[in-house]
Amino acid sequence: MSTFPHAVGDSATMLRRNLRHLARYPVMVVMSLGVPTLLLLLFVGVFGGAMGGGARGGDYVDYLVPGIVLMTAGYGSTSTALAVNRDMTEGIIARFRTMPVFRASVLVGHVLAAVIRTVASAALVVGVALLMGFRPAATLVGWLAAVGVFVLLALALTWLAVAIGLAARNAEGTSAFTLVVQVLPFVSSAFVPPESMSGAVRWFAEDQPFTLVIDTLRGLLLGTPVGDSAIPAVGWCVGLALVGYLWARALFRRDPVR
C-alpha cells in the first residue's frame, strides 16, 4: 500500500495544528502580519520625504514595497524557528516520534503554515501600499513571477528557520538567526539604493542575496528590467532552501535525547 495518502493526511493534520496554534498566540500573529505593515507606514509616512530623493527618480512607496515584502518572509521565519524550538524543547516532537504518524509531517506542517502566514502578510503589505499610492505596472506574467520568487524565498528562509529551531537548545538560541534575517534587509537595496552607500557597506549591499531578490521583485512589480539579478536571486533561494531542508532533515533524524 502506498504511503503517499498517509503522508498527505498526516501533513494536513500538522498544518491544521500549526494554524490553530496561531490563534492561541496573538502576539506571534501581530509580529508576523503587523510589523512589516507598520514598517511600511513608518518609512513612507515619516522618512519618505527625506529618503525619497534617492529612490531612483520614482515615488518612494514604489521603491520601498519590494523591500518590505521581503521583510515579511524574514519576520515569518523567525516565528517558525521559535515554534519548532518550542516543539523540540517541550518534547512534542519526541512524542510524535512514538506515534504512528508520517515523521516528516511534523516539519512539513510547520513549513506550510509558515508559508501561508508569510504570503498573507505580504498580501496585507501590498494592499496597504496600494492605498498609500503604490502603483505597480506588472503584467499577469510579472505578478506570477514575483509571487513565485517570493514563495521560493519564503520556503528558503522557512527551511533554515526549521533547522535553527531544531538545533537550538532553547528559544534564546534562535536569536542569532532572528538578528540576521531582520538586520540584513537594512544593508541592502530595500530602503535606499546601494550606490548611495560608501565603501565596504556598498559592496556588501550590492552583492548580498537580499538585494538580488529585492531588485528582482522590484523589476517584476514595476515592469522595469530586472537586469542580471533574477537568475542569481533564484539560485540563492534554491540553494538556501536545499541547505535548510537537508540540515533540518539531518537534525530531525538524530537521537532526540540531547
Side-chain angles (χ1 to χ4, degrees), residues 10 21 34 40 46 52-53 92 100 104 119 143 151 156 174 181 186 192 201 205 212 227 251:
D10 287 346
H21 275 198
L40 175 69
V46 178
I92 302 300
V119 170
W143 275 105
V151 170
T174 67
V181 297
F186 288 94
V192 295
V201 176
L212 297 171
L251 292 170

Side-chain angles (χ1 to χ4, degrees), residues 78 81-82 85 161 164-166 168-179:
T78 59
L82 289 172
N85 183 259
I164 294 293
L166 291 172
R169 293 187 178 277
N170 49 48
E172 288 75 15
T174 67
S175 57
F177 175 75
T178 301
L179 181 65

Side-chain angles (χ1 to χ4, degrees), residues 35-37 39-40 43 64-73 125 190-191:
V35 170
T37 302
L39 285 175
L40 175 69
F43 275 89
L64 182 64
V65 167
I68 299 295
V69 166
L70 177 137
M71 294 185 76
T72 64
V125 166
F191 300 100

Side-chain angles (χ1 to χ4, degrees), residues 43-175:
F43 275 89
V44 173
V46 178
F47 304 125
M51 302 175 71
R56 296 173 178 167
D59 290 337
Y60 188 60
V61 65
D62 290 340
Y63 181 86
L64 182 64
V65 167
I68 299 295
V69 166
L70 177 137
M71 294 185 76
T72 64
Y75 279 101
S77 66
T78 59
S79 299
T80 302
L82 289 172
V84 172
N85 183 259
R86 185 174 59 247
D87 280 356
M88 195 69 178
T89 56
E90 293 182 354
I92 302 300
I93 289 180
R95 183 179 179 185
F96 282 140
R97 290 175 188 271
T98 66
M99 299 173 67
V101 299
F102 182 64
R103 297 185 66 177
S105 64
V106 180
L107 303 185
V108 172
H110 274 293
V111 171
L112 292 178
V115 172
I116 291 173
R117 184 179 63 239
T118 301
V119 170
S121 180
L124 178 62
V125 166
V126 172
V128 173
L130 289 171
L131 295 175
M132 299 178 69
F134 176 51
R135 294 296 178 262
T139 63
L140 176 60
V141 174
W143 275 105
L144 292 176
V147 171
V149 171
F150 177 73
V151 170
L152 195 55
L153 172 70
L155 280 173
L157 294 182
T158 300
W159 273 116
L160 284 175
V162 169
I164 294 293
L166 291 172
R169 293 187 178 277
N170 49 48
E172 288 75 15
T174 67
S175 57

Side-chain angles (χ1 to χ4, degrees), residues 177-189:
F177 175 75
T178 301
L179 181 65
V180 168
V181 297
Q182 292 187 1
V183 170
L184 273 186
F186 288 94
V187 192
S188 71
S189 65

